[in-house]
Amino acid sequence: MGRPKQSDDERREKVDKIIDTAQSLFITEGYAAVSMRKIAAGAGMGTMTLYKYFPNKNAILHHIWAVFFDELFVLVRTGIDRTKSAKTQLKQMCMIYLDYWLAHQDRFRIVFLNEDRASSGDDFFINHANITEELLQVVQPLMAELSASVDPSSMLTYLESLMCYVHGIALNTITISEYPWSDHEKYVDIFLDATL
């Protein structure tokens, strides 16, 4: 008769075990040092079984990244006070974003210190993660007010610049931790004051 069909809960449980194992290994050993065989062993399954859930290590990494960004954008969407000015809301978005990565520095390293390597048949994470769309959803209600300071035709470029700036703050704070950085809120204020 063969094995009984796996339930959705059983499948989700296996995927969670794979993800937890991979995330732990990526943190402790680095992405490049971890193989599918090592992930399978840590998750208590054979390598061929692992391939039934994920076609390659990059797909596992993308899954982990998606979980982080989903969690982060829930915090961003719910943490912004829509009764405040556009500039204040942008600052709140930046602070939530920064606070998330500074509270989860291992996650930051997994996402931003690992190059996304798409092999044939794969896609880069940025192509299917909708990060830009998520940011635009947050900022869309602010567009009218921001258009007084930022040319609407360059709004996306402005937001990309802001995100580069915020990522730079997180990167430096996390990877050069021995330096006595100022409070990251001050850096955000300087950018927003200079550009809005």
Side-chain angles (χ1 to χ4, degrees):
M1 285 195 52
R3 291 183 165 178
K5 190 172 187 295
Q6 188 178 47
S7 72
D8 289 344
D9 287 343
E10 290 170 327
R11 180 171 179 70
R12 208 171 5 261
E13 198 174 295
K14 290 255 187 181
V15 167
D16 289 346
K17 179 68 174 164
I18 292 165
I19 294 304
D20 290 345
T21 300
Q23 183 175 328
S24 177
L25 288 168
F26 294 161
I27 289 169
T28 57
E29 299 182 23
Y31 176 80
V34 176
S35 65
M36 289 291 274
R37 183 178 305 237
K38 190 176 273 191
I39 294 168
M45 64 182 63
T47 307
M48 294 312 293
T49 302
L50 175 59
Y51 281 107
K52 291 178 183 176
Y53 296 93
F54 292 97
N56 55 45
K57 186 171 69 165
N58 213 45
I60 296 172
L61 185 65
H62 284 186
H63 184 95
I64 291 169
W65 288 356
V67 169
F68 296 164
F69 279 105
D70 287 348
E71 184 179 299
L72 172 58
F73 282 116
V74 165
L75 292 172
V76 169
R77 282 191 302 272
T78 59
I80 292 177
D81 183 349
R82 292 293 183 185
T83 66
K84 303 290 184 186
S85 70
K87 182 177 176 180
T88 300
Q89 290 180 54
L90 267 185
K91 179 179 176 178
Q92 288 173 331
M93 180 186 80
C94 292
M95 296 307 297
I96 293 165
Y97 197 85
L98 273 170
D99 288 343
Y100 178 86
W101 293 118
L102 295 175
H104 302 289
Q105 294 184 13
D106 287 334
R107 292 178 179 189
F108 181 89
R109 287 183 179 93
I110 289 173
V111 173
F112 297 108
L113 300 183
N114 281 302
E115 182 181 353
D116 192 7
R117 296 177 182 96
S119 58
S120 64
D122 286 342
D123 197 8
F124 288 103
F125 180 76
I126 196 70
N127 294 340
H128 61 84
N130 299 325
I131 293 171
T132 304
E133 289 83 2
E134 288 281 354
L135 286 174
L136 286 173
Q137 276 187 2
V138 172
V139 177
Q140 198 74 40
L142 313 176
M143 295 289 204
E145 189 178 336
L146 289 174
S147 66
S149 303
V150 179
D151 176 15
S153 67
S154 63
M155 185 65 69
L156 182 59
T157 304
Y158 176 80
L159 292 174
E160 290 169 346
S161 300
L162 176 61
M163 292 318 301
C164 287
Y165 187 80
V166 170
H167 279 237
I169 295 168
L171 178 68
N172 286 317
T173 303
I174 291 168
T175 62
I176 313 171
S177 59
E178 66 279 3
Y179 184 80
W181 298 102
S182 295
D183 177 35
H184 53 277
E185 185 172 0
K186 291 178 184 175
Y187 298 129
V188 172
D189 284 335
I190 288 169
F191 183 89
L192 294 176
D193 287 346
T195 59
L196 294 178

